[in-house]
Amino acid sequence: MQSFNPPVRTLMGPGPSDVHPRVLQAMARPTIGHLDPAFIGMMDETKEALKYAYQTENELTMPVSAPGSAGMETCFANLVEPGDKVIVCINGVFGNRMKENVTRLGGEAVIVEDKWGEAVSFDKVEQALKENPDAKIVAFVHAETSTGVASDAKALCALAQQHDCLTIVDAVTSLAGSELRVDDWGIDAIYSGTQKCLSAPPGISPISFNERAIHKLTNRKTPVTSWFLDLNLVMGYWGKGAKRAYHHTAPVNTLYGLHESLVMLMEEGLENSWARHQANHQLLKAGLESMGIGFLVNEADRLPQLNTVFIPDGIDEAAVRSSLLNDYNLEIGAGLGDLAGKVWRIGLMGYSARRENVLLCVSALKEILAIK
Ligand SMILES: *Cc1c(COP(=O)(O)O)cnc(C)c1O
């Protein structure tokens, strides 16, 4: 066996996205103890920077030591008790996973379904809230990576609050890629991932809980069934103050990477990062439309960081993706579910959202599809 040397790729799929060289360099720094005072100082900075990224003052803002799916489970495992009614909005792959979380925890999922490629319907959620006055939580995906749709998190959270429901919001693909304001929008519990628009490697899930969410957590009648994800215990390690206790061994070097990516986000400015994703989306849109390739999602609900586009007729789509990978070192994503074979998903996330990547993608597609 020999050392593994991965090929150098340009990642323009649904994640992971390209990791910035500064982040990779940070991760190569020496491992220190997860209770070392120097490490704890870095943890505190990371929490502060995550508050900035989320636009929140929530004290309980921290990275879970596992990928985005674990952030999702952290929110549901801590906030859903057996018998709790949860309105789950499903308009793609990730809403389905939310439903799985609710039912496995003994909650009752009330499903609000929208077509893949469409945003979560405000009216349907309102109807569900009226029909289920005993509902406790509304859960939805802000940026559906399976389809490239953005839902109106601000309006949905305001609606949920009117009906005395907490909100659980999936921001795995939205964080740092498009507008997201946790406090202004009244989001109660939120989770994300590091490998999409933060330009860091996979394996960490930043979460944030506000006071209303913490109130539900601390007033549970039953203990959180997951030991690892129980925030009451995790906060013994991630909570403020010097008296940190061992909970689990933090992924030290991966957290160096997250820290560096947040330093970079603060250097760029959050709103500039949103604007960069939007500008590159516009460039990609112009390039694809010049080839006659159109989008699945209507313009108003489109995510700049995840572009779901129709495959031209008569094209062997898997062969095109293989050629992109083998001949151009470029990865784009396939369609999922009913959209498999009909669309490609082109990601412009984090460090991948760069002009040179867009130009590479458009010209490579032109060559392969032989469009002059
Ligand atoms: C990628 C993604 C997840 C899952 O994150 P993992 O890090 O793969 O576990 C959840 N929700 C959305 C919207 C995603 O795009």
Side-chain angles (χ1 to χ4, degrees):
M1 206 158 90
Q2 289 179 345
S3 305
F4 177 63
N5 282 298
V8 178
R9 309 279 203 212
T10 299
L11 301 180
M12 295 179 73
S17 57
D18 286 342
V19 177
H20 196 284
R22 268 176 64 180
V23 173
L24 292 174
Q25 278 160 16
M27 290 175 68
R29 289 175 195 148
T31 304
I32 58 175
H34 66 286
L35 291 168
D36 188 309
F39 190 70
I40 285 173
M42 190 217 68
M43 288 166 74
D44 283 337
E45 284 187 1
T46 301
K47 283 168 59 179
E48 282 307 310
L50 284 175
K51 287 188 189 171
Y52 168 71
Y54 271 134
Q55 293 288 286
T56 182
E57 296 299 324
N58 290 341
E59 206 48 63
L60 207 179
T61 302
M62 54 157 276
V64 173
S65 302
S69 304
M72 180 187 285
E73 284 213 40
T74 300
C75 290
F76 286 93
N78 282 274
L79 295 177
V80 178
E81 283 196 85
D84 279 356
K85 214 180 232 191
V86 181
I87 296 186
V88 180
C89 307
I90 300 182
N91 63 340
V93 165
F94 294 100
N96 258 313
R97 292 189 179 182
M98 289 178 147
K99 184 195 83 184
E100 274 297 310
N101 270 271
V102 171
T103 53
R104 286 179 189 218
L105 288 162
E108 187 189 335
V110 174
I111 306 302
V112 171
E113 207 156 5
D114 282 291
K115 271 208 218 112
W116 284 40
E118 291 180 9
V120 172
S121 154
F122 180 95
D123 294 343
K124 286 188 200 169
V125 175
E126 186 168 43
Q127 186 64 28
L129 282 163
K130 283 182 180 153
E131 286 168 7
N132 297 276
D134 54 339
K136 300 219 164 99
I137 298 173
V138 174
F140 65 90
V141 178
H142 182 211
E144 228 329 322
T145 322
S146 58
T147 63
V149 158
S151 287
D152 189 344
K154 184 181 183 180
L156 291 170
C157 289
L159 176 64
Q161 222 173 78
Q162 275 169 24
H163 291 262
D164 271 331
C165 282
L166 292 178
T167 43
I168 296 178
V169 177
D170 179 319
V172 176
T173 283
S174 55
L175 183 65
S178 49
E179 187 178 16
L180 172 62
R181 302 180 189 276
V182 168
D183 287 359
D184 285 359
W185 295 356
I187 295 170
D188 296 302
I190 192 163
Y191 58 92
S192 188
T194 42
Q195 79 276 26
K196 311 248 166 135
C197 298
L198 284 174
S199 318
I204 303 278
S205 175
I207 59 158
S208 186
F209 278 45
N210 70 7
E211 288 302 326
R212 296 192 334 136
I214 292 170
H215 181 79
K216 174 118 172 51
L217 167 59
T218 49
N219 286 283
R220 287 177 64 103
K221 292 178 209 73
T222 54
V224 175
T225 52
S226 164
W227 178 86
F228 182 68
L229 301 176
D230 182 348
L231 287 175
N232 295 297
L233 305 177
V234 176
M235 286 312 281
Y237 177 56
W238 272 98
K240 234 189 157 85
K243 278 189 275 169
R244 309 233 183 171
Y246 168 64
H247 176 265
H248 65 278
T249 308
V252 170
N253 293 59
T254 314
L255 286 167
Y256 296 166
L258 172 60
H259 181 273
E260 188 66 18
S261 77
L262 292 167
V263 168
M264 294 187 59
L265 181 65
M266 293 171 94
E267 284 172 3
E268 180 179 22
L270 185 59
E271 301 201 349
N272 292 334
S273 177
W274 300 339
R276 172 170 51 82
H277 286 84
Q278 185 60 38
N280 283 292
H281 160 72
Q282 292 299 338
L283 192 65
L284 179 68
K285 172 174 172 271
L288 293 174
E289 283 178 352
S290 76
M291 301 163 63
I293 294 179
F295 283 71
L296 170 75
V297 178
N298 72 40
E299 200 154 0
D301 301 326
R302 249 174 234 168
L303 286 169
Q305 61 273 51
L306 199 282
N307 297 267
T308 303
V309 297
F310 288 113
I311 297 163
D313 287 342
I315 297 291
D316 178 351
E317 79 85 18
V320 172
R321 281 186 296 110
S322 297
S323 173
L324 286 172
L325 193 67
N326 297 326
D327 305 331
Y328 302 84
N329 276 307
L330 174 63
E331 181 184 271
I332 66 168
L336 294 177
D338 287 347
L339 296 173
K342 296 183 187 142
V343 299
W344 286 312
R345 290 180 302 149
I346 304 178
L348 288 170
M349 300 182 183
Y351 186 53
S352 292
R354 277 179 295 150
R355 191 177 175 82
E356 57 263 49
N357 284 3
V358 174
L359 299 179
L360 168 66
C361 181
V362 170
S363 54
L365 277 173
K366 272 192 181 154
E367 262 186 20
I368 296 171
L369 301 174
I371 296 171
K372 299 288 172 328

